[in-house]
Amino acid sequence: MFTYLPLDLTPGSQEIRFLNLLPASSFDAAIHCTIFNGSLQAPPHYEALSYVWGTESDKSKICLMYDAAQSNAASKADVENHVTRTGTGLNFEVTPNLASALRHIRHDNLSRTLWIDAICINQVDANEKSHQVAQMRQVYLSAQGVIMWLGPELSSSSSLAIKFLRSMRMGEDGQSQYLYQEADSPAWFACDDLFLKRPYWGRSWILQEVLHNRPVTVHVGNNVLDIDEFFRLFKKYFTFRKVLSSLSMSGLSTEEQRRLSKEPEKLNKVLANDQWFRASGTTESMPDALVYMRPLFQDPKYLPRLGYLLYTFRDQGATVPKDKIYSLYGIAKQEYDIEINYNEDPVKGATLTTRDLYMRTTRQLLANVLVVLLWIESPQRKIASGLDGTNLPSWVPDFMTEQHLSARCLYTKSTLFCASRDPNGMWKGSSADKENNLKSSGIFTIRGVRVGRIENTREVHATRKWSEDKAAQGWDKLRLFWYEPIRHLNGMDTAISNEAVPESDVSSATFENTSWGPCKSERGDIIVVAAGSNIPLVLRKEGEGFLFVGGCWLVKSQINLSALLEPEKSSKQEGFDEIMYGSIAKEIGKTCVVEEFELY
């Protein structure tokens, strides 16, 4: 058993621990390390490890001891804590992936000073963890370099991928000159594994660990690459892989796929809608995001906004839900009050639940832009009230869930519309939350106008032919809906049209001629144009208040999605309902009134 010497956890203290990885002449030799307390104010020459913890089962044991300068203090702590050490035995457990990393980066005859979170932070001490995580950004900025450990070699696949991509020629325009090769070839499988499938890429902490101006070396098995070369190889892979991925989902024969891969103009026509949804709604792969963002962080003053990071990297994973915010906060512009606190045990001090952290963060974000509500919709969460103090309120994103393609499209393309445009000041106020008296209640208030009630729905796929859709499931699932236009005046809803939806319209509907919105929208949900929102919102009545369901597009006839990808062609389209462009403001005070909607 290993006992940590305590760190100075007072505010402003920069005390942390460092690890010496001792040398070994044999790869399989036991791992021996010494640890010591130090400070970021005068740190030793050290490297920080970026890796994924991996499975917690079948842990490996290493020998961990305090270095000679602090061993006496450690021995005294052992006596006080009634701990008996096992001499130079194996007394500290690490995950198999970390043990593999330590063996691969260990030198033959020199020790290596490192910072590794799983060892240098006492993970069972919530107060220490809170203090140390608040310093994570500085830990990586103060390091002489960062070691990016992607994992061990898997049947020589990483070596095959590196060799394959190094041999691939690129044209002057940056496009791959490699001729079409079937998506299931060994080389492409190896590249997929290296750049997409390794657990490392799913971590949200990667951004803090890699986005900075410190040198980074990439280790995968025995392969060691400078991060710039690694990025160059990724660019070759990703340029061609995107085409192969779209082709594989197109339903075309292998021969047709081969032919189209050599004819870009025809390929773009075949994959037009697929490309629109992918460009508008898919998240970037993590390597692609790092390629784009790392050059920006070479300027130490560059700090993106927290909202941008939370949305862009929503799909990155975290074992601890709070880390979905904490992992990004350190590299963001410091414009919000975010408390880093892992403690949820009142006996050990002030507590902060994940629910409270998500609520406080969201309330601050909504104070700037209402579009944050479009981050909420997810097939993985139920639409429920948060007034019980247990569930997240319906107006708070659950950052541990993923969003479908359609929800992401509604967010990324929301700036093309102006549903709450108000040139004459008819709204008389914005969708401001009653923060002072509702902050602890789980209620968020918006102001808006009712414009419709959903009458019917149908599910389809966004990136496949509708005639082949018998079970609309998967990440590209999209919910079409038909609605009854209504206006609310004098406490009553008035229907503008009572015409039923023809059965023929339902069967022939596509996302280019029918309104669409939340994947869990239902008959009876109301459609509201809220002050501060570019697109209409779908709400559901719940007692005296409402639940937030998601955003939507109101479509009355044929629209051209492909044109929305091109800025010069993305102006007003006649196929969209006029409400999408702000027509409701003209009716306020005549056919409808502005109401307050309390979201639970």
Side-chain angles (χ1 to χ4, degrees), residues 127-138:
N127 292 325
E128 178 182 308
K129 188 175 178 181
S130 301
H131 179 272
Q132 295 290 284
V133 167
Q135 300 188 91
M136 285 277 280
R137 184 60 177 166
Q138 195 57 46

Side-chain angles (χ1 to χ4, degrees), residues 180 247 250-263 266-267 270 465:
Y180 177 82
L247 283 170
S250 65
L252 300 174
S253 67
T254 299
E255 185 56 39
E256 288 176 309
Q257 292 181 41
R258 188 190 302 275
R259 177 177 54 80
L260 282 172
S261 69
K262 301 174 184 178
E263 301 180 57
K266 292 183 179 180
L267 176 66
V270 170
K465 297 177 181 178

Side-chain angles (χ1 to χ4, degrees), residues 385 387 393-395 432-434 437-438 441-448 450 526 528 539-548 595-600:
S385 168
L387 295 184
S394 68
W395 52 271
D433 177 33
K434 299 177 180 179
N437 63 329
L438 295 177
S441 69
I443 297 175
F444 187 84
T445 304
I446 62 174
R447 302 177 68 249
R450 305 186 197 210
I526 66 168
V528 171
L539 308 181
R540 183 171 300 162
K541 186 66 176 173
E542 173 79 2
E544 297 298 317
F546 295 85
L547 302 179
F548 182 79
E595 305 172 69
E596 286 192 349
F597 298 89
E598 290 190 344
L599 305 183
Y600 294 167

